[in-house]
Structure formats: structure tokens, C-alpha cells
Amino acid sequence: MGFEQILANGIVLGTLYACIAIGFSLVWGVLNVINMLHGSFIVLGGYLTYFAWAYTGVSPVLVLPVVAALLFGLGYGLQYLFINKVVSAPVLTTLTLTFGLDMILYNLMTVYFTATPRRVSMEFGRVEFLGVVMPVDRLIGMGLALALTALLFVVLRTSRIGRAIVAVRMDREAAALMGIKVNHIYAVTFGIAALMAGAAGSVFAMVFPVTTNLSGVFLGKAFVICVIGGLGGVSGALVGGLALGIIESFAGVLIGPQNAITIGFVLMLVLLIVRPQGLVGVKGYE
């Protein structure tokens, strides 16, 4: 496998990783909550997309907005009804609560959906350009992942709700004094993060098999990407995802795919020592 092919595979994988991690980064950076539910949200999005496609034949691209809306409602409700009650508590408290909620969701999916790997089969063939061969379904997945990332970036930068989220992230007390309903913004933020996770799961199910056993893998990837790229913005998740995807792609060829994930964790540990805010993160959100 040539250099160009390995790099292209890493870029495609990295865009999917960025889409997976961006919601996790948003909750961590704004709410200071390490959301243990994130991996299960991604799996749920993938399962819902698969079953909608398998039983109705509807294109997963058309199902994606519906899945995203459902996950937004679930995330908003969980944050508003449960997590907001302890959001000001020490991080260990919110981590324990989201871990408990994750166990409930994970076991419900395992019981009702089973852990059988499922994938939306879209056979569109392959394309070749300058010696690089890439399945079309992966290119579609990459395009959707980039579109979702860009959409969130625009929402946070230009919309009223986006500016409110940024204001709460910067100074909760000052935002409350300016009339912003902080608890509502927290719930919206968590809802958007769940929306992005569900959408990422939909995209992932178009490219790779999805199973409940992957929820911990997705959560670990999101954590590593946030540490590598940094918190405080969409750019951190994008840079971290691309970095991890490219590193794993080259490491998989050089030292074997079973060892590739280790390289990502080593890089994470190094950055925690030399640059705790990440490659492009904002200082103060380490």
C-alpha cells in the first residue's frame, strides 16, 4: 500500500473520528461534564439508521435528520431532568451520573437490539484518482461528516443560540446576569452533542458495522481526540480527529492494526505533559 493510499485512508477515518468526538468536546468544554453516555448515543444513532433502512428501505441519508432530531430530544431531556441537578457538583459526581445513565441505555440496546454487528450496505463501487482507490460509501460518509462539522461551526459562530452557548462557556455567572437561561442553554448544549453523536452513528453505520460493544471504543476515541486537538471549539475536534485517523492509518500498516490504537494513547499522554490544552485548544480548557 502506497503512501498516498495510507494518507487518504487516514483522512477519511479522521473525518469520521472528528464527527464522533465533536459532541463530546462540546459538553466537556461548555458544561465541564465528561459525558460517559456519548459512545452509546453514537451506537443508538447507528442502530436507528440501520433498522429504518432495513425495514422501510428509506435511504440512510434521509433517515439521518430524523435520527439527529430524536437524539437531540433525548439529550435535552436527560440534561434538563437529571444532569442539571448536579451540573455544578464536582466532576466525579456528573461522571458517575452519566456512567449510570450509560449503563441503562447500553443494556436496553443490548436487550432489544442485541449486540449483533449491523451495517447499512450501500454498494456504490469504488473510484480511483492518482493511484488512490476509495470506496464511494466512505467518500459519502466523509462528506456527511464534514458537512455536519461545518454546520455546527456555523451555528456556534453565527446563531443566537450559538452565541449564548459560547457566553455560558466563557462565564456562567455573567451570562446569567445578562438574562441567559443557563439551565436551558446547558440542556440545548447537551442536546446538540447528542444530536451530533446520533448523526455520527448514522454516518458510521454507512461505512462500518455498528454494535453495542463499540460504545466504549467510541467513548475512548472521543476522549483521545479531545485531548489531542483540545477543547473550546470545533477546530479542536477536527484537528484531533484528523491527527488520530492519519496516525492510526500509518501505524496500522507499520506495526499492525492491533497496535495502532496504542500509538494514539501514547500521543495523548505526551500532549498532556507538554501541551495540556491540545494542538489547537484554548488555554483554560485543559
Side-chain angles (χ1 to χ4, degrees):
M1 189 181 297
F3 174 86
E4 296 83 359
Q5 183 69 59
I6 300 172
L7 179 62
N9 291 341
I11 291 173
V12 172
L13 185 61
T15 57
L16 296 177
Y17 280 173
C19 193
I20 285 172
I22 197 165
F24 186 80
S25 175
L26 188 65
V27 169
W28 193 357
V30 176
L31 278 66
N32 194 32
V33 171
I34 299 176
N35 179 22
M36 303 297 289
L37 273 161
H38 190 74
S40 292
F41 281 158
I42 297 171
V43 173
L44 179 60
Y47 271 177
L48 292 176
T49 301
Y50 169 81
F51 285 118
W53 168 79
Y55 289 107
T56 68
V58 178
S59 169
V61 177
L62 299 178
V63 172
L64 191 152
V66 178
V67 171
L70 291 173
L71 266 292
F72 176 85
L74 176 61
Y76 184 98
L78 289 174
Q79 176 69 34
Y80 196 84
L81 295 175
F82 300 105
I83 304 174
N84 267 350
K85 309 298 182 185
V86 296
V87 73
S88 298
V91 173
L92 183 60
T93 302
T94 54
L95 187 147
T96 303
L97 175 58
T98 57
F99 177 77
L101 293 171
D102 175 62
M103 287 294 97
I104 294 172
L105 180 58
Y106 173 87
N107 284 291
L108 285 174
M109 289 192 297
T110 301
V111 169
Y112 290 104
F113 298 153
T114 74
T116 303
R118 294 178 172 90
R119 175 176 178 253
V120 177
S121 299
M122 297 193 308
E123 298 299 334
F124 295 123
R126 301 182 177 188
V127 295
E128 182 175 352
F129 181 73
L130 297 178
V132 175
V133 179
M134 189 63 62
V136 175
D137 57 354
R138 294 196 179 191
L139 294 177
I140 293 173
M142 181 179 72
L144 290 172
L146 289 173
L148 289 165
T149 303
L151 180 61
L152 180 60
F153 179 81
V154 171
V155 168
L156 291 177
R157 284 298 183 96
T158 63
S159 69
R160 185 174 181 180
I161 194 70
R163 290 192 293 270
I165 290 172
V166 173
V168 170
R169 184 190 72 191
M170 298 302 295
D171 193 323
R172 172 181 174 173
E173 288 73 20
L177 290 173
M178 295 299 293
I180 295 175
K181 297 179 180 178
V182 175
N183 284 340
H184 169 66
I185 294 301
Y186 277 170
V188 169
T189 302
F190 201 88
I192 292 175
L195 178 155
M196 291 299 296
S202 294
V203 173
F204 200 88
M206 301 177 198
V207 182
F208 300 107
V210 175
T211 170
T212 52
N213 294 332
L214 285 176
S215 63
V217 175
F218 288 141
L219 180 63
K221 298 285 188 187
F223 191 88
V224 171
I225 291 166
C226 288
V227 173
I228 293 175
L231 300 174
V234 174
S235 58
L238 182 59
V239 170
L242 287 172
L244 183 62
I246 293 171
I247 288 170
E248 286 192 358
S249 182
F250 279 96
V253 174
L254 296 175
I255 62 175
Q258 71 276 11
N259 298 315
I261 191 172
T262 305
I263 303 299
F265 279 102
V266 170
L267 177 60
M268 180 190 74
L269 292 175
V270 171
L271 281 172
L272 282 174
I273 296 172
V274 301
R275 188 176 171 82
Q277 70 267 34
L279 295 176
V280 296
V282 180
K283 194 169 185 179
Y285 295 96
E286 293 93 331

